Amino acid sequence: MFTPLQKQTRRHLALGFIAALGLLSALSPAHAQTAWPSKPVKIVVPFAPGGTTDILARAVAPELSKAFGQTFFVENKAGAGGNLGADVVAKSPADGYTLLMGTVGTHGINKALYDKMPFDPVKDFAPITLVAAVPNVMIMNTEKARSMGINNVMDFIKYAKAHPAQLNMASSGNGTSIHLAGELFKSMSGTFMLHFPYRGSSPALLDMLAGNMDVMFDNLPSSMQHIKSGKLKALAVTSSQRSAALPDVPTIEEAAKLKGFEASSWFGLLAPAGTPNDVVLRIQQETAKALNTPAIKEKMLAQGAIPSGNTPQEFAKLIDSEIRKWAQVVKASGAKVD
């Protein structure tokens, strides 16, 4: 027989045990998976609307919305070569509700290009997946190129050397792959153009189309429609191999005999460091599924983008290797941003 005090103690212990089981259940991976997402998820694009980063984010967002039954929406936060928007995500709660469409600029180039970085591209982020890799393309306004007698890259180099500091080079911002591809070209070709950074590809392209800028090394997807329409002339692609989307356009290495020239871009989803692993894996898996659907895959390939969907571990290795690679390129080109 138990005394009243012993019965009360046993009852409290039993209730405590039940409560503990409930807490463990709530913290279990299965419960975490059903709890997220319970509200809309924001994908920050660190550049202005209309560029390749924006195009890819807006292609992926509706697919994730369908997969998770919750809204995934895009928010543009342009500035500082992508650092402004990336920093916002780095300092956001690690709860899976704020993601970044990062780029080779924010997570490969900028660490070497900027004297002061507001975030660490490795320590402050949880890589989710590489969305796509794309070549850049050296473009001019078609009418302007015709008036200058420029039909190819060698014509451009000859004209630039005959008119030093008279050509303007547009980019999507300081530190972007578009900017650095131009800096690498200047360094390797012995030419000089005045750099005009914009807050994304879209506003830079508007001035290219208007004839206010002379040359740009844009991401291929954002320029493709204007190249196809004939408004912009593609002189060369910056990748080591020709693009399947523009098979007749040579590489810069081919066109100008600049051995080893390569300056491609990539774009991928990242979350703040500390985001639960199960959330990261679920986003990666659904993104990979979306990128592998015929409609999305064909659309990206037609625009010059090569879809990926790799694992977080593979994406992390890519970021590490790109940081090392671009540090050497930045040093060789002499490019620097205060």
Side-chain angles (χ1 to χ4, degrees), residues 9-24:
T9 300
R10 287 170 61 86
R11 185 165 60 251
H12 286 168
L13 287 171
L15 289 173
F17 181 70
I18 292 170
L21 285 177
L23 179 60
L24 287 173

Side-chain angles (χ1 to χ4, degrees), residues 111-300:
K111 187 173 183 180
L113 193 67
Y114 283 79
D115 286 333
K116 294 181 180 179
M117 285 285 286
F119 59 87
D120 187 302
V122 175
K123 294 179 181 178
D124 292 339
F125 289 89
I128 298 175
T129 187
L130 176 69
V131 172
V134 305
N136 291 354
V137 58
M138 184 180 181
I139 52 172
M140 292 187 71
N141 178 290
T142 301
E143 291 301 321
K144 199 162 193 180
R146 185 179 294 116
S147 69
M148 293 177 174
I150 296 174
N151 295 307
N152 52 51
V153 180
M154 291 305 295
D155 286 344
F156 181 90
I157 292 173
K158 183 179 178 181
Y159 186 96
K161 288 183 176 180
H163 302 81
Q166 292 184 30
L167 294 178
N168 298 325
M169 180 182 78
S171 84
S172 55
N174 284 320
T176 61
S177 67
I178 295 171
H179 168 213
L180 203 59
E183 293 294 342
L184 186 60
F185 179 83
K186 287 160 60 176
S187 174
M188 293 182 69
S189 65
T191 56
F192 181 78
M193 296 88 77
L194 295 171
H195 176 222
F196 285 80
Y198 289 75
R199 292 171 67 87
S201 284
S202 187
L205 283 172
L206 288 176
D207 268 359
M208 286 292 298
L209 292 167
N212 298 327
M213 288 285 117
D214 297 310
V215 67
M216 185 175 174
F217 293 78
D218 193 28
N219 301 143
L220 184 51
S222 50
S223 287
M224 181 64 81
Q225 62 174 322
H226 305 301
I227 294 170
K228 293 292 188 182
S229 71
K231 294 177 181 178
L232 293 178
K233 182 177 181 64
L235 297 180
V237 291
T238 66
S239 48
S240 58
Q241 296 182 335
R242 295 192 182 198
S243 168
L246 291 175
D248 296 330
V249 177
T251 67
I252 286 181
E253 182 176 20
E254 286 179 294
K257 305 297 186 288
L258 298 180
K259 187 172 176 58
F261 188 100
E262 198 276 330
S264 297
S265 300
W266 51 259
F267 307 83
L269 287 172
L270 302 105
T275 299
N277 287 335
D278 66 291
V279 172
V280 169
L281 286 173
R282 290 177 68 198
I283 298 172
Q284 181 269 324
Q285 290 164 1
E286 293 301 336
T287 302
K289 287 180 186 177
L291 294 174
N292 202 40
T293 59
I296 298 293
K297 193 171 185 178
E298 289 172 14
K299 183 178 180 180
M300 285 192 176

